[in-house]
Amino acid sequence: MRTATVTIKPAALTHNLLQVKKRAPNSKVLAMVKANAYGHGIKVVLPALQQADGIGVASFTEALEARDLGWQKAIGLVEGVFSAGEWQQAIDHDCSCVIHHLPQLNWALDNIPKDDSPTRTVWLKYNTGMNRLGFDDDTVIDAAQQLSDAGYQLILTTHFANADDFEHPLNTVQIQRFNKILKVLQQAIDADIQGSLCNSAGLVNFPEHHHDWVRPGIMLYGSSPVTHKCAAELDLQPAMDFSARIMAIQTVKAGDSIGYGSRWFATEDTQTALVSIGYGDGYPRVVSADAYVCVIDSKTAQSQRCPIRGRVAMDMIAIDISAASHITLDSEVRLWGDAPHVDEVATYAGTIGYELLCRLSTRPKRAVHIEP
Ligand SMILES: Cc1ncc(COP(=O)(O)O)c(C=O)c1O
């Protein structure tokens, strides 16, 4: 049987949440679980994130799924609702919404939830420089005033454009704008207005600006959110192992090539193995010549680094096993997990770990690693 497998490690998720809490001890945590928990599967992830104060999702459908799975704490819709009808649904399901533009403001003003409804708390989005969603300097104070007059509790929020890059000049601009407007709102409208500025990268790079809520995503899943430190240096554990098995072993003769497009030629007779994984599973088709996988030595259980040779196909890749030992048909091959880390694979593929995690196909089998 074909055995490409995605294994989720709940203990790693819980560990990573703990790291978030250690870094931001005075803030509440809105754990981002949008896009099916960054590809990990929301059903497995939610129980591991019970210690979060709330979860963040991108759509009402995702919110509903979380409610159906029994999540009772706060849910934040980080893009808000898309219609007046959906605003009512958000009220019905106790979701708290971002309000980032006029139509959403009007839906909220036209239909005010009851005093004790979680929807009475809204995340007012302020555009500090990302220039995607949010009210600008000219409109944010007025929007806040209207919402506050209507009885809403406010969390002023914004999103960094470059928080992964500590040195980027826009970070300071965004932080200053955010802090200034938050102060204005607190002084002019309501001292209890809260703030939420940081995603994972902001949380790591700007500890003095955590405010009331942090909104970590990628670091919960064990990837590094910053450019200058890897996941291990941040004490983050990958929450996903992606693995497959060897399906054939062969020798490619010196001078021969392997795979589509004949992109790699053997300079000497080379032992290769075919692994039952490909872009049909979500492994990236284009990876650089440095890309490697780890094969588990069947005797010692040690992990051995084996380079990928030739093109990644839909269902298989070829790897060079000439320097490896005790490789047999059916040996386990790690595509990403502890090593290589998904962030490394992403570098070889010219993308980011987020994308690789989110774009896995439905073909690999799903498993959950239960700690012994
Ligand atoms: C509004 C908002 N906050 C927080 C996050 C989490 O970001 P990260 O995964 O980089 O921590 C996201 C993700 O894109 C987001 O859109």
Side-chain angles (χ1 to χ4, degrees):
M1 193 172 63
R2 199 166 184 282
T3 52
T5 307
V6 171
T7 307
I8 304 305
K9 298 186 280 185
L13 291 160
T14 306
H15 166 89
N16 296 335
L17 177 60
L18 197 69
Q19 299 313 307
V20 166
K21 285 172 163 271
K22 274 192 188 157
R23 283 176 183 272
N26 301 317
S27 304
K28 290 187 184 171
V29 179
L30 192 79
M32 300 302 292
V33 297
K34 61 195 178 123
N36 200 22
Y38 288 47
H40 290 64
I42 190 161
K43 190 172 175 186
V44 183
V45 167
L46 285 183
L49 297 181
Q50 282 302 325
Q51 296 309 314
D53 300 283
I55 53 169
V57 296
S59 71
F60 183 69
T61 313
E62 291 177 344
L64 209 53
E65 197 180 352
R67 286 282 182 243
D68 286 346
L69 288 166
W71 182 263
Q72 290 179 352
K73 291 187 182 177
I75 298 186
L77 264 68
V78 297
E79 292 169 17
V81 293
F82 289 72
S83 65
E86 215 172 70
W87 175 258
Q88 180 58 49
Q89 285 180 299
I91 296 174
D92 294 343
H93 294 276
D94 291 339
C95 299
S96 165
C97 299
V98 158
I99 293 191
H100 63 74
H101 69 158
L102 204 56
Q104 289 176 334
L105 178 64
N106 290 333
W107 299 329
L109 296 175
D110 290 347
N111 181 3
I112 300 170
K114 290 200 296 260
D115 279 2
D116 58 350
S117 164
T119 316
R120 274 287 272 266
T121 298
V122 291
W123 299 68
L124 179 62
K125 184 107 171 190
Y126 170 38
N127 171 23
T128 52
M130 169 80 111
N131 291 318
R132 297 194 311 187
L133 305 178
F135 291 90
D136 59 20
D137 285 329
D138 298 333
T139 52
V140 69
I141 298 174
D142 186 46
Q145 187 71 64
Q146 291 190 60
L147 286 164
S148 179
D149 290 348
Y152 285 97
Q153 281 87 52
L154 303 186
I155 303 168
L156 185 75
T157 187
T158 195
H159 197 39
F160 280 114
N162 302 283
D164 56 325
D165 175 6
F166 180 73
E167 303 285 340
H168 198 288
L170 191 56
N171 292 326
T172 315
V173 174
Q174 290 194 267
I175 290 169
Q176 282 172 354
R177 284 181 180 153
F178 183 81
N179 289 345
K180 185 174 150 207
I181 289 291
L182 182 58
K183 210 172 196 179
V184 169
L185 298 187
Q186 286 168 338
Q187 282 169 353
I189 298 176
D190 180 354
D192 290 336
I193 292 178
Q194 298 182 19
S196 176
L197 177 57
C198 292
N199 58 351
S200 303
L203 200 155
V204 170
N205 273 340
F206 306 110
E208 64 282 22
H209 299 290
H210 284 162
H211 289 283
D212 302 279
W213 285 85
V214 290
R215 308 184 311 272
I218 197 69
M219 68 187 290
L220 294 174
Y221 304 99
S223 277
S224 170
V226 294
T227 49
H228 63 288
K229 279 195 176 149
C230 71
E233 288 171 301
L234 297 169
D235 197 3
L236 299 174
Q237 299 173 359
M240 180 190 289
D241 274 345
F242 190 23
S243 64
R245 301 260 166 189
I246 288 179
M247 59 195 287
I249 294 175
Q250 61 172 3
T251 302
V252 177
K253 294 243 164 47
D256 280 357
S257 64
I258 193 164
Y260 286 122
S262 301
R263 298 292 280 258
W264 179 82
F265 284 86
T267 50
E268 57 190 344
D269 288 0
T270 306
Q271 273 267 292
T272 57
L274 280 303
V275 185
S276 55
I277 198 79
Y279 60 81
D281 301 286
Y283 193 82
R285 176 175 174 273
V286 179
V287 286
S288 65
D290 320 331
Y292 71 98
V293 299
C294 281
V295 184
I296 312 302
D297 183 318
S298 57
K299 287 233 163 94
T300 64
Q302 298 273 324
S303 178
Q304 316 173 83
R305 201 175 155 130
C306 299
I308 295 177
R309 299 298 190 209
R311 272 196 179 146
V312 173
M314 188 186 291
D315 312 314
M316 69 186 94
I317 59 173
I319 59 171
D320 187 333
I321 56 168
S322 45
S325 56
H326 306 119
I327 289 187
T328 57
L329 263 189
D330 215 31
S331 283
E332 187 183 344
V333 179
R334 184 70 41 81
L335 290 324
W336 64 66
D338 287 333
H341 194 284
V342 69
D343 294 342
E344 263 179 290
V345 183
T347 305
Y348 299 136
T351 183
I352 49 177
Y354 299 70
E355 188 190 0
L356 296 186
L357 296 170
C358 286
R359 75 175 194 193
L360 285 166
S361 78
T362 52
R363 187 163 69 174
K365 198 174 73 175
R366 291 269 169 167
V368 180
H369 179 77
I370 309 293
E371 290 293 307

